[in-house]
Amino acid sequence: MGVEVNLEGKIAFVTGASSGLGDRFARVLAMAGARVVLASRRVDRLKELRAEIESEGGDAHCVELDVTDLDSIKAAVAHAETEAGPIDILVNNSGVSTTQRLVDVTPEDYNFVFRTNTEGSFFVAQEVAKRMIVRAKANPERQSRIINVASVAGLRVLPQIGIYCASKAAVVQFTKSMALEWARFGINTNAICPGYIRTEINEGHFETEAGQKLISLLPRRRIGEPADLDGLILLLAADESRFINGAVITADDGHSVF
Ligand SMILES: NC(=O)c1ccc[n+]([C@@H]2O[C@H](COP(=O)([O-])OP(=O)(O)OC[C@H]3O[C@@H](n4cnc5c(N)ncnc54)[C@H](OP(=O)(O)O)[C@@H]3O)[C@@H](O)[C@H]2O)c1
């Protein structure tokens, strides 16, 4: 007898679906049967992904979203629900990084990282949660999921990305506040903390000498691929994870154990 995650009938809203982890999260949720709404600024990339998901029998929709713009967040969430239906699962994944020493961080760098990673993620979760709460009041049995994509950099300090580390530490902390405040509305809010995974955010760096050195210091001397998070995203999206709330789960191939 096998057990499989079945997300049929669920609607998943994935931010930052135009590349990297978000692209993969959307694909895997669609493969499990969810109707996925792909959101980010590069709508052309979202449309390509939608076509690929549909060609494999999945159900996908696209909405334009800039998480640094509150009006855009409200419009995108409203549009998603009109197009696809009430959101059951939010994958709050959009994020950016910059690389420099702290003494070189400009106000522009600081705002770029915090407005996307911290403020943007917070207000996306808030906008989606408001709607989940209204529905929970009408149907207390309803289950909802918010999965905030933080980072191992939110748990420990990594060199040259101090502002990014701080922005993700805030995501870890507000994940726990959300879990506490929204638990009674059937919303499970958890954070995932990936280690190094090759995507557009970092692929240039891993080709450099410093990047290669960094890889050589990891326990298995390798970085991950987006599919390495498939099991974790499915677990946290599924109804079967109803007792997991406020968890901060590291998926880093052992990077943060030392
Ligand atoms: N890769 C890693 O090693 C790693 C490790 C730990 C955590 N993470 C986190 O994982 C998440 C995904 O990163 P990734 O590695 O997949 O990088 P990526 O390939 O660069 O993807 C980043 C995504 O964020 C979206 N985004 C950026 N600014 C946005 C904005 N203002 N509004 C809406 N969407 C925006 C981008 O879409 P558009 O440009 O189309 O808007 C893109 O889809 C991030 O939160 C990152 O911090 C990554």
Side-chain angles (χ1 to χ4, degrees), residues 28-44:
V28 78
L29 294 172
M31 278 189 256
R35 173 178 292 170
V36 291
V37 182
L38 316 169
S40 81
R41 295 165 301 178
R42 290 173 293 173
V43 176
D44 50 333

Side-chain angles (χ1 to χ4, degrees), residues 16 18-19 21 40-42 66-67 93-94 164 168 197 199:
S18 58
S19 62
L21 303 187
S40 81
R41 295 165 301 178
R42 290 173 293 173
D66 180 349
V67 301
N93 165 77
S94 288
Y164 177 82
K168 292 295 189 175
I197 295 182
T199 67

Side-chain angles (χ1 to χ4, degrees), residues 76-95:
V77 172
H79 185 183
E81 294 210 332
T82 306
E83 282 266 316
I87 297 168
D88 301 288
I89 301 158
L90 165 65
V91 182
N92 204 4
N93 165 77
S94 288

Side-chain angles (χ1 to χ4, degrees), residues 44-65:
D44 50 333
R45 306 248 317 227
L46 301 178
K47 286 181 180 166
E48 285 169 28
L49 176 58
R50 178 180 64 190
E52 287 179 40
I53 290 173
E54 286 177 347
S55 73
E56 286 164 20
D59 185 349
H61 300 259
C62 303
V63 299
E64 187 169 1
L65 167 68

Side-chain angles (χ1 to χ4, degrees), residues 86-88 128-144 181-188:
I87 297 168
D88 301 288
V128 172
K130 282 180 186 171
R131 290 161 178 267
M132 289 172 166
I133 289 168
V134 168
R135 290 191 282 271
K137 286 180 178 166
N139 174 12
E141 299 305 311
R142 188 179 171 90
Q143 290 207 53
S144 305
E181 284 197 20
W182 299 340
R184 65 184 183 280
F185 303 113
I187 304 173
N188 289 35

Side-chain angles (χ1 to χ4, degrees), residues 60-226:
H61 300 259
C62 303
V63 299
E64 187 169 1
L65 167 68
D66 180 349
V67 301
T68 65
D69 176 345
L70 286 182
D71 290 337
S72 173
I73 292 173
K74 285 182 191 300
V77 172
H79 185 183
E81 294 210 332
T82 306
E83 282 266 316
I87 297 168
D88 301 288
I89 301 158
L90 165 65
V91 182
N92 204 4
N93 165 77
S94 288
V96 293
S97 185
T98 59
T99 304
Q100 68 274 99
R101 294 195 171 88
L102 292 178
V103 290
D104 296 322
V105 172
T106 63
E108 290 74 26
D109 296 325
Y110 186 97
N111 288 336
F112 172 62
V113 172
F114 265 82
R115 285 191 63 211
T116 307
N117 296 0
T118 310
E119 191 179 336
S121 297
F122 176 79
F123 284 105
V124 169
Q126 184 201 58
E127 184 62 22
V128 172
K130 282 180 186 171
R131 290 161 178 267
M132 289 172 166
I133 289 168
V134 168
R135 290 191 282 271
K137 286 180 178 166
N139 174 12
E141 299 305 311
R142 188 179 171 90
Q143 290 207 53
S144 305
R145 299 283 181 266
I146 295 177
I147 303 163
N148 291 326
V149 179
S151 170
V152 286
L155 303 173
R156 57 179 304 206
V157 171
L158 299 174
Q160 304 247 32
I161 53 169
I163 296 306
Y164 177 82
C165 294
S167 75
K168 292 295 189 175
V171 174
V172 167
Q173 198 66 3
F174 69 53
T175 295
K176 296 177 194 173
S177 301
M178 290 171 181
L180 182 65
E181 284 197 20
W182 299 340
R184 65 184 183 280
F185 303 113
I187 304 173
N188 289 35
T189 310
N190 296 294
I192 66 174
C193 293
Y196 291 117
I197 295 182
R198 191 186 307 276
T199 67
E200 289 175 23
I201 212 170
N202 56 30
E203 62 191 352
H205 181 63
F206 289 122
E207 308 314 320
T208 66
E209 198 176 321
Q212 289 294 314
K213 181 164 177 220
L214 200 156
I215 294 173
S216 74
L217 296 173
L218 298 173
R220 291 197 173 112
R221 289 158 182 67
R222 68 179 187 191
I223 58 170
E225 300 299 328

